[in-house]
């Protein structure tokens, strides 16, 4: 699912975007902003996939805001002024919506963004994750993850030749971020990297000199996967 935010100095415009996003399954509008400085602070801390961006704002134009984005992000411009369209597309905008925005036109723009997002993810094959830990966003190469250990509301991400990272998140939320062909849950408290498994004896997995149990709830799926390899 696409993670998105919206920036527009007019609250009614944001309410329309929110209502439209609620009707589409592939986009999650996580936050809306009326002030550009607040949106920029959020983006620096929480990378998202898509930005709905008004162009004609009092403090800074959407065009200038787009040029100062802290990381690469898809942008769908929203504005009441058609003369900005050409400049918007020169910034490689995903789409350009003219107010008042119809739901059909909005849906087309989001579908275009989703196709672009899906293509990028397939090409990159999710090579890394950003995990919030120690008051920072820490970049982790997926290929370096050995296994994940769950401890109440915390996770310990065990990484090859690196310090273990402790993050406050759930097993389910992290598993959703990992490539399903490369990671599998084998226990209520363990997710393992399939490629890092050194051996399996009875119902115990060995990874990097660690013994990881396979619980009854997950053993059928796990051993069926091993038999396919």
């Amino acid at each position: 699912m696409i993670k998105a935010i919206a920036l527009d100095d007019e609250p009614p415009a944001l309410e329309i975007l929110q209502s439209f996003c609620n009707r589409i399954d592939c986009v999650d509008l996580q936050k809306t902003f009326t002030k550009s400085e607040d949106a920029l602070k959020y983006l620096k801390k929480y990378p998202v996939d898509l930005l709905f961006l008004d162009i004609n704002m009092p403090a800074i134009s959407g065009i200038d805001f787009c040029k100062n984005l802290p990381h690469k992000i898809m942008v769908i411009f929203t504005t009441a002024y058609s003369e900005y369209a050409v400049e918007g597309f020169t910034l490689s905008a995903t789409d350009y919506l003219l107010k008042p925005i119809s739901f059909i036109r909005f849906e087309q723009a989001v579908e275009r963004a989703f196709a672009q997002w899906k293509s990028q993810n397939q090409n990159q094959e999710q090579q890394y994750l950003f995990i919030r830990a120690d008051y920072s966003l820490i970049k982790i190469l997926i290929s370096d993850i050995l296994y994940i250990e769950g401890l109440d509301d915390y996770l310990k991400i065990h990484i090859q030749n690196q310090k273990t990272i402790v993050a406050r998140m759930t097993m389910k939320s992290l598993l959703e971020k990992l490539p399903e062909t490369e990671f599998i849950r084998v226990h209520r408290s363990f997710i393992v990297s399939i490629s890092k498994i050194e051996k399996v004896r009875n119902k115990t997995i060995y990874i990097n000199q660690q013994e990881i149990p396979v619980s009854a709830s997950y053993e059928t799926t796990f051993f069926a996967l091993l038999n396919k390899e």
Side-chain angles (χ1 to χ4, degrees):
M1 182 181 287
I2 298 174
K3 293 183 292 183
I5 67 167
L7 171 59
D8 195 307
D9 62 309
E10 298 178 354
L14 292 173
E15 290 174 7
I16 291 171
L17 290 176
Q18 182 70 71
S19 67
F20 283 176
C21 285
N22 290 343
R23 296 166 62 182
I24 298 178
D25 293 334
C26 67
V27 62
D28 175 21
L29 186 60
Q30 299 188 330
K31 202 92 171 173
T32 61
F33 299 91
T34 56
K35 296 181 179 179
S36 57
E37 59 268 27
D38 292 339
L40 194 59
K41 285 179 184 177
Y42 183 89
L43 287 171
K44 287 178 178 178
K45 290 183 67 176
Y46 306 102
V48 299
D49 307 303
L50 174 64
L51 170 64
F52 295 100
L53 179 60
D54 184 28
I55 290 182
N56 192 29
M57 296 184 292
I60 183 174
S61 75
I63 300 292
D64 290 334
F65 184 87
C66 187
K67 293 175 180 177
N68 293 315
L69 288 172
H71 56 87
K72 189 175 180 181
I73 183 173
M74 294 181 294
V75 176
I76 294 177
F77 284 114
T78 62
T79 184
Y81 303 93
S82 59
E83 60 266 27
Y84 289 113
V86 173
E87 191 171 2
F89 279 117
T90 61
L91 292 170
S92 300
T94 298
D95 212 333
Y96 183 99
L97 298 176
L98 193 62
K99 297 177 182 178
I101 304 166
S102 70
F103 177 71
I104 292 175
R105 183 66 186 87
F106 177 85
E107 190 175 31
Q108 289 173 346
V110 171
E111 285 175 355
R112 179 178 293 178
F114 183 69
Q116 185 176 332
W117 173 80
K118 195 172 181 181
S119 174
Q120 289 171 350
N121 281 351
Q122 286 173 344
N123 292 338
Q124 295 174 359
E125 200 57 43
Q126 271 193 289
Q127 297 174 351
Y128 56 83
L129 296 174
F130 279 101
I131 299 295
R132 180 160 292 282
D134 296 327
Y135 306 101
S136 305
L137 278 174
I138 300 174
K139 184 177 180 178
I140 303 173
L141 287 175
I142 288 176
S143 59
D144 286 344
I145 297 175
L146 298 169
Y147 63 95
I148 295 105
E149 182 180 1
L151 302 167
D152 295 326
D153 294 331
Y154 291 84
L155 298 182
K156 292 177 74 174
I157 304 173
H158 297 267
I159 305 170
Q160 197 163 21
N161 301 321
Q162 292 182 45
K163 180 182 175 182
T164 297
I165 291 174
V166 179
R168 189 179 180 87
M169 62 191 303
T170 65
M171 295 283 277
K172 181 182 177 184
S173 63
L174 181 55
L175 190 59
E176 288 174 350
K177 297 176 184 291
L178 295 169
E180 60 181 18
T181 56
E182 297 176 35
F183 290 84
I184 185 169
R185 192 166 185 173
V186 297
H187 188 278
R188 183 169 174 266
S189 301
F190 290 98
I191 297 168
V192 301
S193 169
I194 298 167
S195 65
K196 299 299 190 298
I197 296 174
E198 296 165 4
K199 65 180 178 180
V200 180
R201 180 177 294 164
N202 297 324
K203 294 182 183 179
T204 302
I205 297 168
Y206 293 81
I207 296 179
N208 201 37
Q209 300 182 339
Q210 296 296 318
E211 298 182 8
I212 300 167
V214 180
S215 71
S217 301
Y218 298 95
E219 64 175 297
T220 301
T221 304
F222 173 67
F223 285 108
L225 175 69
L226 289 193
N227 290 332
K228 288 181 181 178
E229 295 295 317

